[in-house]
Amino acid sequence: MTLRPATSDDRDAIVAVFLACWRESYVGVLPAVAIEAMTDDRAQALWRRVLASTEGTVFVAEHDGLVQGVTRFAPEGDGGAVHSLYVSPDARGLGLGTRLLDAAYDSLSERGAASVALWVFAANAPSIAFYRGRGWLPDGGARTQAEFGEPELRLRRGGRRPA
């Protein structure tokens, strides 16, 4: 398994991982209309914008020569945020999610983030359990995604300030 910064050449592979997660992992978490709204074209446009942006970093995890996971993160104020973490359903159990999450956290911490936050759908109990098991705890922050109408919780983990 390798982790590396994503390039625009990875877009199609990232979209495949993203759509697989969207359609399989979020069933029961998001309303059907939200699942159906994420078309292939919409996912392509989303990740085209993400990969062209200079406001954050995208890492991919490869296993057996295929992109099987992706995370996006960025500094924000005196902290940082993990904006997304997706692992292909075919690659679950390989530890890709943990490696990608740790890489995002370490990168933001090395940049001086006092803490790192991420948002997770409140109904996604498996994801919340995954993050809690890695030291990410709810901090009382909550919001509702206007587009999906589903509540999210903010999880936070302290960052390491360089001496």
Side-chain angles (χ1 to χ4, degrees):
M1 172 181 19
T2 59
L3 294 181
R4 62 174 175 75
T7 69
S8 58
D9 291 340
D10 294 317
R11 189 185 73 237
D12 290 344
I14 290 169
V15 168
V17 169
F18 170 74
L19 285 172
C21 288
W22 192 261
R23 293 177 177 149
E24 294 182 33
S25 299
Y26 291 155
V27 170
V29 175
L30 292 176
V33 67
I35 302 294
E36 294 164 6
M38 189 55 69
T39 63
D40 291 4
D41 288 344
R42 185 171 177 202
Q44 284 281 354
L46 169 78
W47 284 99
R48 186 177 301 114
R49 283 193 313 273
V50 167
L51 291 169
S53 172
T54 58
E55 296 178 9
T57 304
V58 178
F59 273 6
V60 296
E62 291 181 324
H63 179 72
D64 289 341
L66 299 173
V67 171
Q68 297 282 10
V70 60
T71 189
R72 179 173 67 100
F73 54 95
E76 292 184 357
D78 70 343
V82 178
H83 295 287
S84 57
L85 174 66
Y86 302 103
V87 174
S88 171
D90 296 335
R92 288 197 187 117
L94 298 175
L96 301 184
T98 298
R99 296 262 322 266
L100 284 164
L101 189 61
D102 287 349
Y105 174 79
D106 290 345
S107 179
L108 291 167
S109 293
E110 288 167 7
R111 296 179 196 182
S115 67
V116 179
L118 61 87
W119 292 92
V120 60
F121 287 108
N124 196 339
S127 288
I128 293 170
F130 170 83
Y131 293 125
R132 285 183 69 101
R134 285 145 187 86
W136 297 79
L137 301 174
D139 71 354
R143 68 181 183 189
T144 298
Q145 284 278 25
E147 186 174 7
F148 305 123
E150 294 297 312
E152 289 182 309
L153 303 174
R154 184 176 58 216
L155 308 182
R156 193 174 297 278
R157 188 170 165 200
R160 296 183 305 266
R161 280 238 183 247

PDB file of all heavy atoms in Angstrom, residues 31 38 40-41 46 51 58 90 103 116-117 132:
ATOM      1  N   PRO A  31     -30.910  10.632   2.629  1.00  0.00           N
ATOM      2  CA  PRO A  31     -32.156  10.314   1.922  1.00  0.00           C
ATOM      3  C   PRO A  31     -31.863   9.809   0.503  1.00  0.00           C
ATOM      4  O   PRO A  31     -30.836  10.163  -0.086  1.00  0.00           O
ATOM      5  CB  PRO A  31     -32.897  11.648   1.876  1.00  0.00           C
ATOM      6  CG  PRO A  31     -32.082  12.644   2.577  1.00  0.00           C
ATOM      7  CD  PRO A  31     -30.781  12.031   2.967  1.00  0.00           C
ATOM      8  N   MET A  38     -26.253  12.363  -6.762  1.00  0.00           N
ATOM      9  CA  MET A  38     -24.820  12.314  -7.065  1.00  0.00           C
ATOM     10  C   MET A  38     -24.604  11.456  -8.313  1.00  0.00           C
ATOM     11  O   MET A  38     -24.304  10.282  -8.261  1.00  0.00           O
ATOM     12  CB  MET A  38     -24.030  11.763  -5.876  1.00  0.00           C
ATOM     13  CG  MET A  38     -22.533  11.886  -6.056  1.00  0.00           C
ATOM     14  SD  MET A  38     -21.932  13.564  -6.397  1.00  0.00           S
ATOM     15  CE  MET A  38     -22.227  14.366  -4.832  1.00  0.00           C
ATOM     16  N   ASP A  40     -22.761  10.503 -12.003  1.00  0.00           N
ATOM     17  CA  ASP A  40     -21.364  10.394 -12.435  1.00  0.00           C
ATOM     18  C   ASP A  40     -20.832  11.750 -12.888  1.00  0.00           C
ATOM     19  O   ASP A  40     -19.712  12.124 -12.544  1.00  0.00           O
ATOM     20  CB  ASP A  40     -21.231   9.385 -13.580  1.00  0.00           C
ATOM     21  CG  ASP A  40     -21.491   7.950 -13.142  1.00  0.00           C
ATOM     22  OD1 ASP A  40     -21.850   7.725 -11.961  1.00  0.00           O
ATOM     23  OD2 ASP A  40     -21.341   7.050 -13.983  1.00  0.00           O
ATOM     24  N   ASP A  41     -21.643  12.492 -13.658  1.00  0.00           N
ATOM     25  CA  ASP A  41     -21.205  13.807 -14.153  1.00  0.00           C
ATOM     26  C   ASP A  41     -20.983  14.788 -13.008  1.00  0.00           C
ATOM     27  O   ASP A  41     -20.017  15.544 -13.009  1.00  0.00           O
ATOM     28  CB  ASP A  41     -22.227  14.386 -15.127  1.00  0.00           C
ATOM     29  CG  ASP A  41     -22.241  13.656 -16.457  1.00  0.00           C
ATOM     30  OD1 ASP A  41     -21.272  12.910 -16.741  1.00  0.00           O
ATOM     31  OD2 ASP A  41     -23.213  13.820 -17.210  1.00  0.00           O
ATOM     32  N   LEU A  46     -17.254  17.727  -9.423  1.00  0.00           N
ATOM     33  CA  LEU A  46     -16.829  17.998  -8.051  1.00  0.00           C
ATOM     34  C   LEU A  46     -15.339  17.750  -7.878  1.00  0.00           C
ATOM     35  O   LEU A  46     -14.598  18.606  -7.401  1.00  0.00           O
ATOM     36  CB  LEU A  46     -17.631  17.120  -7.085  1.00  0.00           C
ATOM     37  CG  LEU A  46     -17.140  17.083  -5.652  1.00  0.00           C
ATOM     38  CD1 LEU A  46     -17.558  18.337  -4.917  1.00  0.00           C
ATOM     39  CD2 LEU A  46     -17.683  15.856  -4.933  1.00  0.00           C
ATOM     40  N   LEU A  51      -9.448  18.920  -7.327  1.00  0.00           N
ATOM     41  CA  LEU A  51      -8.059  18.677  -7.742  1.00  0.00           C
ATOM     42  C   LEU A  51      -7.413  19.911  -8.361  1.00  0.00           C
ATOM     43  O   LEU A  51      -6.197  20.046  -8.339  1.00  0.00           O
ATOM     44  CB  LEU A  51      -7.989  17.488  -8.699  1.00  0.00           C
ATOM     45  CG  LEU A  51      -8.291  16.136  -8.037  1.00  0.00           C
ATOM     46  CD1 LEU A  51      -8.460  15.052  -9.097  1.00  0.00           C
ATOM     47  CD2 LEU A  51      -7.208  15.751  -7.043  1.00  0.00           C
ATOM     48  N   VAL A  58      -5.062  16.702  -1.457  1.00  0.00           N
ATOM     49  CA  VAL A  58      -5.742  15.429  -1.639  1.00  0.00           C
ATOM     50  C   VAL A  58      -4.680  14.340  -1.676  1.00  0.00           C
ATOM     51  O   VAL A  58      -3.708  14.441  -2.429  1.00  0.00           O
ATOM     52  CB  VAL A  58      -6.579  15.405  -2.944  1.00  0.00           C
ATOM     53  CG1 VAL A  58      -7.240  14.043  -3.129  1.00  0.00           C
ATOM     54  CG2 VAL A  58      -7.618  16.514  -2.950  1.00  0.00           C
ATOM     55  N   ASP A  90     -14.477  -2.302  -1.741  1.00  0.00           N
ATOM     56  CA  ASP A  90     -13.657  -3.478  -2.064  1.00  0.00           C
ATOM     57  C   ASP A  90     -12.373  -3.543  -1.234  1.00  0.00           C
ATOM     58  O   ASP A  90     -11.735  -4.588  -1.179  1.00  0.00           O
ATOM     59  CB  ASP A  90     -13.264  -3.481  -3.546  1.00  0.00           C
ATOM     60  CG  ASP A  90     -14.467  -3.606  -4.457  1.00  0.00           C
ATOM     61  OD1 ASP A  90     -15.506  -4.147  -4.016  1.00  0.00           O
ATOM     62  OD2 ASP A  90     -14.384  -3.143  -5.602  1.00  0.00           O
ATOM     63  N   ALA A 103      -2.445  10.457   7.880  1.00  0.00           N
ATOM     64  CA  ALA A 103      -1.614  11.306   7.007  1.00  0.00           C
ATOM     65  C   ALA A 103      -2.162  12.731   6.963  1.00  0.00           C
ATOM     66  O   ALA A 103      -1.398  13.701   7.021  1.00  0.00           O
ATOM     67  CB  ALA A 103      -1.543  10.713   5.601  1.00  0.00           C
ATOM     68  N   VAL A 116      -7.647  19.698  14.738  1.00  0.00           N
ATOM     69  CA  VAL A 116      -8.143  19.310  13.418  1.00  0.00           C
ATOM     70  C   VAL A 116      -9.579  18.829  13.602  1.00  0.00           C
ATOM     71  O   VAL A 116      -9.879  18.095  14.545  1.00  0.00           O
ATOM     72  CB  VAL A 116      -7.259  18.202  12.795  1.00  0.00           C
ATOM     73  CG1 VAL A 116      -7.792  17.784  11.434  1.00  0.00           C
ATOM     74  CG2 VAL A 116      -5.808  18.668  12.683  1.00  0.00           C
ATOM     75  N   ALA A 117     -10.455  19.268  12.718  1.00  0.00           N
ATOM     76  CA  ALA A 117     -11.871  18.924  12.811  1.00  0.00           C
ATOM     77  C   ALA A 117     -12.325  18.176  11.569  1.00  0.00           C
ATOM     78  O   ALA A 117     -11.705  18.276  10.506  1.00  0.00           O
ATOM     79  CB  ALA A 117     -12.705  20.196  12.975  1.00  0.00           C
ATOM     80  N   ARG A 132     -14.019   7.765  16.484  1.00  0.00           N
ATOM     81  CA  ARG A 132     -13.832   7.762  17.944  1.00  0.00           C
ATOM     82  C   ARG A 132     -12.716   6.801  18.343  1.00  0.00           C
ATOM     83  O   ARG A 132     -11.948   7.093  19.252  1.00  0.00           O
ATOM     84  CB  ARG A 132     -15.127   7.382  18.659  1.00  0.00           C
ATOM     85  CG  ARG A 132     -16.162   8.487  18.662  1.00  0.00           C
ATOM     86  CD  ARG A 132     -17.387   8.057  19.455  1.00  0.00           C
ATOM     87  NE  ARG A 132     -17.064   7.968  20.864  1.00  0.00           N
ATOM     88  CZ  ARG A 132     -17.371   8.903  21.759  1.00  0.00           C
ATOM     89  NH1 ARG A 132     -18.020   9.983  21.384  1.00  0.00           N
ATOM     90  NH2 ARG A 132     -17.060   8.745  23.019  1.00  0.00           N
TER      91      ARG A 132
END
